[in-house]
Amino acid sequence: MRIRIITDDFTSALDGTACFAERGWETAVLIRPDGAATVDVVSLDTDSREYAPTFGHDAVANAAQAWRDADVLILQFDSTLRGRVARDCLTALAASGRRKLLIVPAFPSAGRTVEEGRVRVDGVPVHETAFGCDPTLPVRESSVPALFRAHRIEVKVARDAAQARALLDVHDVVVVDARTEAELDVIA
């Protein structure tokens, strides 16, 4: 199985492969989407969180295009919604040629949960936390559906993995609530 992970910073690129490496999978972290073709799990740092794409070049689109035939293609973004979350998700979806997008931004062990499609940090909507005052990338919105609505995309909210599966049969973009690591395991 070939799993490919596109991330927007180096820490995320390392985090993306860690759980696979712990279970004995062969992993690699790259700064370009070429190379490591025989490795099971490859994560790419696009270094795109703080930068707008330049004309004719978008690292997320390039990676999604290069890895369009991966068995599993993941776009890992910041769990506090910093960066170009909706734009990068939609870019990767279009460039990969895939039709469905499952969004799961929860990181419960760090206090980051998703409830009713809204990201919370220790129970507080993320835009009302210190991340809302971030000097570089202030988070202005906690609602994942609202982020996508700005791009004219409707996102359905699933309360659990079973509902997400049912919604994906009918809708193209679904965000899943998750409050615990056990719920994330079921979603995975």
Side-chain angles (χ1 to χ4, degrees):
M1 176 176 286
R2 291 181 49 238
I3 299 172
R4 300 297 181 254
I5 306 166
I6 304 167
T7 70
D8 61 2
D9 78 342
F10 193 66
T11 302
S12 295
L14 293 172
D15 288 346
T17 60
C19 64
F20 294 101
E22 288 172 354
R23 289 167 176 79
W25 291 62
E26 187 179 9
T27 64
V29 175
L30 307 175
I31 56 173
R32 289 185 322 274
D34 53 351
T38 62
V39 175
D40 297 329
V41 181
V42 179
S43 186
L44 171 73
D45 169 20
T46 62
D47 194 29
S48 61
R49 183 176 297 172
E50 297 180 30
Y51 302 103
T54 58
F55 180 73
H57 175 74
D58 185 338
V60 171
N62 293 343
Q65 172 72 35
W67 291 346
R68 67 184 308 134
D69 62 343
D71 298 308
V72 177
L73 182 62
I74 299 168
L75 175 73
Q76 183 173 328
F77 54 81
D78 183 70
S79 62
T80 62
L81 303 180
R82 291 178 295 162
R84 316 173 319 179
V85 174
R87 185 195 180 285
D88 282 354
C89 285
L90 295 171
T91 296
L93 184 66
S96 71
R98 294 171 190 241
R99 298 181 317 109
K100 303 289 181 172
L101 179 61
L102 181 66
I103 307 166
V104 189
F107 187 4
S109 65
R112 300 166 187 176
T113 59
V114 181
E115 300 173 39
E116 298 177 354
R118 290 174 166 49
V119 174
R120 298 177 174 274
V121 177
D122 297 324
V124 178
V126 68
H127 77 279
E128 295 176 12
T129 69
F131 295 104
C133 302
D134 184 297
T136 307
L137 294 169
V139 177
R140 303 287 185 225
E141 182 59 65
S142 298
S143 168
V144 173
L147 290 175
F148 282 79
R149 233 183 337 270
H151 295 270
R152 295 189 170 98
I153 301 295
E154 180 185 4
V155 175
K156 293 297 183 180
V157 178
R159 68 182 163 278
D160 57 29
Q163 187 181 29
R165 183 179 305 265
L167 286 171
L168 282 170
D169 285 340
V170 180
H171 302 281
D172 292 338
V173 184
V174 174
V175 62
V176 187
D177 288 348
R179 290 163 291 287
T180 66
E181 294 295 329
E183 289 176 341
L184 280 181
D185 289 344
V186 172
I187 293 165

